[in-house]
Amino acid sequence: MIVTVTLNPSVDISYQLKQFHMDTVNRVENVRKTAGGKGLNVTRVLAQLGSAVLSTGFLGGSLGEEIISQLDAANIPHAFTTTKANTRNCIAILCEGMQTEILEKGESVQEKEMKLFLENFHKLIKETDVVTLSGSLPKGVPDDFYSQLIKIAHGDNVKTVLDTSGASLKAVFATKNYPTVLKPNHEEIADLLGVEETREIPKLKTYLSNSLFDEIPIILLSLGAKGAMVKHEGRFYQVIIPKIEVKNPVGSGDSTVAGIADALAKGEDIETLAKKANVLGMLNAQEEITGKVNLANYETLYQQLEWKEV
Ligand code: ADP
């Protein structure tokens, strides 16, 4: 089984507007509300793949209940810790090809709720092969929380996939509780190392050769339309992908994480893992809805990927 952790979920609202006017009323006809947060996108993709998945994290208030009913409707098992803090809304205003986002910071999670979550997590991982840890941390949760979860999971021989940024990513290196797979994108790796952003393979190779990464078994550095780069057992590989028609790349990285987790759970080799991760990222980018993948196109795309050592 795969456990997906979403500590800072949201109900994402997208407003599609023909024109966006400031300082007056904007009326919206086209509204979409979905359970959001990176871990929930991972969950949805895993469910479509037919992987046994269980979703956990923090939820609270009426929006928390809305997320639970969406998971129930999709037959996805869940075990969230209820918080006094209300689950937040995140708003995206889509207008003239531009996307303006309004992200609520959310309310604080309390100490006793974190304790409850950890007790539950200890129990959950007993029947688990892989845990995915995705996204930002809610207010009140310490920066090293993912690091704590990685330590607990590895203590039970459960593999971990980490996709986060900023302080919670830095804390993993400070505490040396490294995940089995790290899934940064090119911006996150540059921010972590304090270096210039690049998608050039030779430069990225230098970045990933930093001794900071020596203890991480697999790094899959996703590069959007340029595919991905992989570091595994001290060797570097590139996944070269074909040009595709993109509808909405939001959530492609989450779809990638779902592919990594599925491959890890099945004990697949590194090439299969990397290709699966990329195909799922691409399938997500080809859809309007975040976290949706049309698996009928899986095989055709898979055959078009190139895997080479760099
Ligand atoms: P993140 O959302 O974490 O920044 P990426 O944008 O790197 O992640 O996307 C993850 C994967 O999804 C990429 O490695 C690639 O396989 C696929 N992907 C994302 N954007 C595109 C795109 N514009 N064209 C083709 N594939 C894409």
Side-chain angles (χ1 to χ4, degrees), residues 38 183 185 222-225 227-228 241 244 246 249 252-253 256 278 281-282 285:
K38 290 164 72 65
K183 205 292 300 161
N185 62 21
S222 68
L223 301 168
I241 63 173
I244 53 164
V246 171
S252 282
T256 300
N278 273 265
M282 292 163 78

Side-chain angles (χ1 to χ4, degrees), residues 159-230:
K159 295 186 173 116
T160 53
V161 187
L162 178 68
D163 179 11
T164 189
S165 55
S168 58
L169 179 57
K170 289 189 178 130
V172 162
F173 290 91
T175 55
K176 300 191 191 314
N177 288 319
Y178 304 107
T180 315
V181 185
L182 181 67
K183 205 292 300 161
N185 62 21
H186 73 291
E187 292 163 348
E188 286 153 358
I189 216 78
D191 177 60
L192 177 71
L193 296 172
V195 293
E196 182 200 358
E197 269 178 34
T198 182
R199 282 191 165 106
E200 286 172 30
I201 299 296
K203 264 201 186 149
L204 290 171
K205 212 172 141 175
T206 331
Y207 291 179
L208 294 185
S209 299
N210 191 308
S211 61
L212 203 61
F213 303 118
D214 283 355
E215 304 295 318
I216 304 180
I218 301 171
I219 302 176
L220 192 145
L221 173 56
S222 68
L223 301 168
K226 286 193 77 179
M229 187 177 168
V230 175

Side-chain angles (χ1 to χ4, degrees), residues 143-162:
D143 291 344
D144 72 349
F145 204 69
Y146 280 142
S147 166
Q148 293 181 40
L149 299 186
I150 290 170
K151 195 171 173 196
I152 296 168
H154 290 185
D156 261 329
N157 287 321
V158 175
K159 295 186 173 116
T160 53
V161 187
L162 178 68

Side-chain angles (χ1 to χ4, degrees), residues 36 65 154 163 248 293 295 297:
E65 279 163 25
H154 290 185
D163 179 11
N248 177 12
V293 287
L295 295 172
N297 297 330

Side-chain angles (χ1 to χ4, degrees), residues 37-257:
K38 290 164 72 65
L40 286 168
N41 296 336
V42 177
T43 310
R44 274 196 290 270
V45 175
L46 283 169
Q48 288 163 84
L49 278 176
S51 308
V53 58
L54 182 141
S55 190
T56 185
F58 295 118
L59 285 177
S62 56
L63 295 184
E65 279 163 25
E66 198 170 316
I67 291 179
I68 293 290
S69 37
Q70 286 196 20
L71 289 169
D72 284 340
N75 277 324
I76 297 172
H78 50 81
F80 280 83
T81 299
T82 307
T83 56
K84 242 180 128 190
N86 291 300
T87 294
R88 54 194 186 129
N89 272 133
C90 289
I91 300 171
I93 300 163
L94 310 169
C95 179
E96 295 174 351
M98 288 180 286
Q99 182 161 336
T100 307
E101 295 195 19
I102 299 168
L103 308 181
E104 290 180 22
K105 229 177 148 72
E107 300 165 27
S108 269
V109 172
Q110 297 178 354
E111 200 73 50
K112 61 173 187 284
E113 295 162 349
M114 276 181 260
K115 213 170 142 247
L116 262 178
F117 174 85
L118 288 173
E119 281 168 19
N120 194 26
F121 186 75
H122 269 284
K123 286 184 208 145
L124 284 180
I125 58 163
K126 299 282 176 225
E127 292 139 49
T128 300
D129 305 298
V130 181
V131 172
T132 69
L133 307 160
S134 311
S136 59
L137 299 177
K139 256 205 290 191
V141 172
D143 291 344
D144 72 349
F145 204 69
Y146 280 142
S147 166
Q148 293 181 40
L149 299 186
I150 290 170
K151 195 171 173 196
I152 296 168
H154 290 185
D156 261 329
N157 287 321
V158 175
K159 295 186 173 116
T160 53
V161 187
L162 178 68
D163 179 11
T164 189
S165 55
S168 58
L169 179 57
K170 289 189 178 130
V172 162
F173 290 91
T175 55
K176 300 191 191 314
N177 288 319
Y178 304 107
T180 315
V181 185
L182 181 67
K183 205 292 300 161
N185 62 21
H186 73 291
E187 292 163 348
E188 286 153 358
I189 216 78
D191 177 60
L192 177 71
L193 296 172
V195 293
E196 182 200 358
E197 269 178 34
T198 182
R199 282 191 165 106
E200 286 172 30
I201 299 296
K203 264 201 186 149
L204 290 171
K205 212 172 141 175
T206 331
Y207 291 179
L208 294 185
S209 299
N210 191 308
S211 61
L212 203 61
F213 303 118
D214 283 355
E215 304 295 318
I216 304 180
I218 301 171
I219 302 176
L220 192 145
L221 173 56
S222 68
L223 301 168
K226 286 193 77 179
M229 187 177 168
V230 175
K231 184 182 179 208
H232 176 240
E233 292 176 350
R235 298 166 90 146
F236 295 89
Y237 305 89
Q238 189 182 357
V239 182
I240 302 167
I241 63 173
K243 201 171 163 34
I244 53 164
E245 199 194 312
V246 171
K247 288 212 178 109
N248 177 12
V250 175
S252 282
D254 306 328
S255 206
T256 300
V257 167

